[in-house]
Amino acid sequence: MTNPIIDLPGVIAKSDDADFLRELIQDAAQRLMDIEVAAVCGAAHGERSPDRENQRNGYRPRQWDTRAGTIGLNIPKLRKGSYFPTFLEPRRTAEKALMAVIQEAYIQGVSTRAVDDLVRAMGLSGTSKSQVSRLCEEIDERVQAFLNRPLEGDWPFLWLDATYVKLREGGRIVSMAVIVAVAVNTDGRREILGITVLPSEAETFWADFLRSLTRRGLRGIRMVISDAHEGLKAAARKVLGAGWQRCRVHFQRNLLARTSKTNKPVVSAVVKTVFAEKDRNQAHLRWREVADNLRDRYRDVAELMDEAEHDVLAYMAFDESLRSKLHSTNPLERVNKEIKRRTNVVGIFPNREAVIRLVGALMLEQNDEWAVSRRYMPVEKLTAVCNHDEETAMIAAQ
């Protein structure tokens, strides 16, 4: 059986005073793991027992960062299943990525007060470059495998949106767009297809990103949903041959920006009557009626409505059960909020790779959550969309 008594005199004898606490913690941790593994196996190490349910299968090393310093542990492996010590909290990929970004920023001299406070709070002030390198390599391997995976089957609907972060490049602090692509496959499930960091949202950058998705197998796009970026709209039509849905929420914000504060409630209420229509033709008729009624008092509003009618109402060409998911970029709002929450903690990233590491890890975890959740869209409706070539051609031509 495992000896539960720590040989305290022996630990003191073989350790310098500075290492005493680390040696003590290490010895206690190893013994605790032995006790836990014995309970899992139903027998102690080397013990013959009819109650044995599992066997040990060597060890795997792990570095444990504590306030007493970094401690090397040998975590037992099992022949069946896996074991992780209860006194260690398994780090989620995104949390490890955040730690890597903070460590990298700290080592490269990005010494903002926020980063320093986080480093001290985590007890990582003695982190070495080799530790950072190992941590980053592990994360990058998983993130790159996720971001470069082959895309199989058709993806009828694609959502694209961007959020901005600050990073160091060429000796300057610059603001860059973090692009996220989310799509629904014919099984009705959402997946994050990819991310990228772009200097701007110009057409050439959008086209390069979309081509990278098509090289991985993206196909069957019926409609792209996004904000009103001309570069994105042109790139989607050129690369994907798909129609475009202008985000209804962003459109309403653009519309209200053309009115005074006192008139915003009236204009908003009138425009929303269009979106209450269930029939596509009636929605277009109501749209033109509202635009004409507003033309005398709110000419700028009416002109924007004239310009955006078909882009904002493109989602009406699809079945009513799909429309609530198609009229805006809302499916990406929660994702973007989480990205902003995590990136705001870092403040200024040391490079683009650090952004990809953190955001990619977040998206990997989000994708895993979606994989086990309920379907986002009904399969039978998506099958009808994919088989309805005439309707698809009409939307793409708009």
Side-chain angles (χ1 to χ4, degrees):
M1 294 292 291
T2 301
N3 184 5
I5 305 300
I6 297 176
D7 182 13
L8 188 57
V11 172
I12 295 175
K14 69 179 183 180
S15 304
D16 296 332
D17 290 342
D19 296 331
F20 167 65
L21 184 57
R22 281 196 297 273
E23 295 284 349
L24 187 64
I25 294 174
Q26 183 182 41
D27 193 69
Q30 288 296 156
R31 289 171 180 274
L32 181 57
M33 287 188 289
D34 287 339
I35 293 171
E36 290 182 343
V37 170
V40 172
C41 293
H45 183 51
E47 180 187 5
R48 296 181 180 273
S49 171
D51 298 326
R52 179 180 288 278
E53 299 177 357
N54 207 334
Q55 292 180 320
R56 297 171 182 251
N57 189 30
Y59 297 89
R60 59 185 175 92
R62 187 190 193 280
Q63 298 297 313
W64 183 23
D65 291 319
T66 72
R67 294 190 180 276
T70 300
I71 296 172
L73 298 179
N74 289 317
I75 299 179
K77 295 192 296 183
L78 303 177
R79 292 191 182 277
K80 295 185 295 184
S82 61
Y83 162 74
F84 194 85
T86 57
F87 59 86
L88 293 180
E89 180 183 359
R91 294 174 182 161
R92 300 178 66 192
T93 305
E95 291 169 343
K96 293 168 70 176
L98 179 59
M99 187 181 300
V101 169
I102 292 173
Q103 291 171 338
E104 187 174 335
Y106 186 82
I107 288 173
Q108 294 194 20
V110 187
S111 55
T112 63
R113 180 180 299 178
V115 172
D116 285 341
D117 289 344
L118 279 169
V119 169
R120 285 194 295 269
M122 290 181 176
L124 301 174
S125 56
T127 302
S128 67
K129 290 187 177 181
S130 61
Q131 286 176 303
V132 174
S133 178
R134 288 196 302 270
L135 185 57
C136 292
E137 183 179 350
E138 177 187 345
I139 299 165
D140 289 344
E141 184 178 347
R142 292 188 60 194
V143 168
Q144 290 305 316
F146 168 65
L147 296 180
N148 295 313
R149 72 193 189 280
L151 302 176
E152 301 177 350
D154 287 349
W155 304 82
F157 303 116
L158 174 68
W159 291 263
L160 295 167
D161 203 1
T163 188
Y164 284 81
V165 300
K166 292 182 179 180
L167 58 89
R168 294 179 184 270
E169 188 162 273
R172 301 182 300 120
I173 297 175
V174 296
S175 179
M176 289 199 178
V178 179
I179 306 298
V180 180
V182 171
V184 166
N185 58 25
T186 50
D187 288 333
R189 297 196 176 278
R190 279 185 294 177
E191 285 194 29
I192 292 168
L193 302 189
I195 65 170
T196 190
V197 179
L198 302 177
S200 72
E201 295 187 69
E203 179 183 346
T204 179
F205 294 122
W206 275 113
D208 288 344
F209 176 57
L210 294 178
R211 288 192 184 101
S212 72
L213 296 180
T214 59
R215 284 193 294 269
R216 290 169 48 207
L218 179 63
R219 68 186 188 196
I221 299 294
R222 268 48 177 182
M223 191 165 70
V224 175
I225 303 98
S226 74
D227 195 1
H229 294 290
E230 289 301 322
L232 168 55
K233 185 178 179 180
R237 180 174 286 114
K238 181 184 300 182
V239 178
L240 302 176
W244 180 59
Q245 165 66 42
R246 180 172 181 172
C247 174
R248 201 173 80 180
V249 175
H250 285 87
F251 167 76
Q252 288 176 278
R253 293 173 187 167
N254 299 148
L255 198 72
L256 295 179
R258 300 190 175 200
T259 65
S260 63
K261 184 177 180 179
T262 55
N263 294 324
K264 288 182 191 294
V266 175
V267 173
S268 177
V270 174
V271 173
K272 284 180 180 179
T273 61
V274 177
F275 305 132
E277 297 288 348
K278 303 298 183 183
D279 180 75
R280 183 186 178 204
N281 293 327
Q282 288 298 319
H284 280 279
L285 289 173
R286 181 60 181 159
W287 183 284
R288 290 190 285 272
E289 179 183 338
V290 169
D292 290 339
N293 290 338
L294 295 174
R295 201 171 303 277
D296 290 339
R297 293 188 60 189
Y298 311 103
R299 178 163 296 276
D300 288 347
V301 171
E303 289 176 353
L304 180 57
M305 291 187 68
D306 293 339
E307 172 191 335
E309 177 182 351
H310 293 287
D311 294 333
V312 177
L313 295 181
Y315 73 98
M316 297 290 291
F318 295 94
D319 186 84
E320 188 176 341
S321 64
L322 304 177
R323 293 175 185 175
S324 63
K325 308 288 180 30
L326 297 177
H327 64 62
S328 70
T329 57
N330 281 348
L332 268 173
E333 288 301 310
R334 180 179 174 274
V335 172
N336 277 339
K337 285 181 180 178
E338 184 63 14
I339 291 174
K340 291 301 292 184
R341 186 177 76 84
R342 295 297 187 94
T343 56
N344 284 342
V345 171
V346 179
I348 301 172
F349 285 81
N351 48 47
R352 293 196 199 190
E353 290 74 17
V355 179
I356 295 292
R357 183 177 301 124
L358 177 55
V359 178
L362 284 171
M363 297 302 97
L364 172 57
E365 289 179 354
Q366 180 62 74
N367 206 65
D368 289 344
E369 289 181 15
W370 285 346
V372 296
S373 61
R374 59 180 296 184
R375 284 185 172 88
Y376 192 62
M377 289 183 173
V379 176
E380 62 276 8
K381 300 299 181 182
L382 289 170
T383 302
V385 168
C386 294
N387 293 334
H388 207 324
D389 295 334
E390 181 180 348
E391 190 83 356
T392 300
M394 176 196 66
I395 295 169
Q398 291 181 354

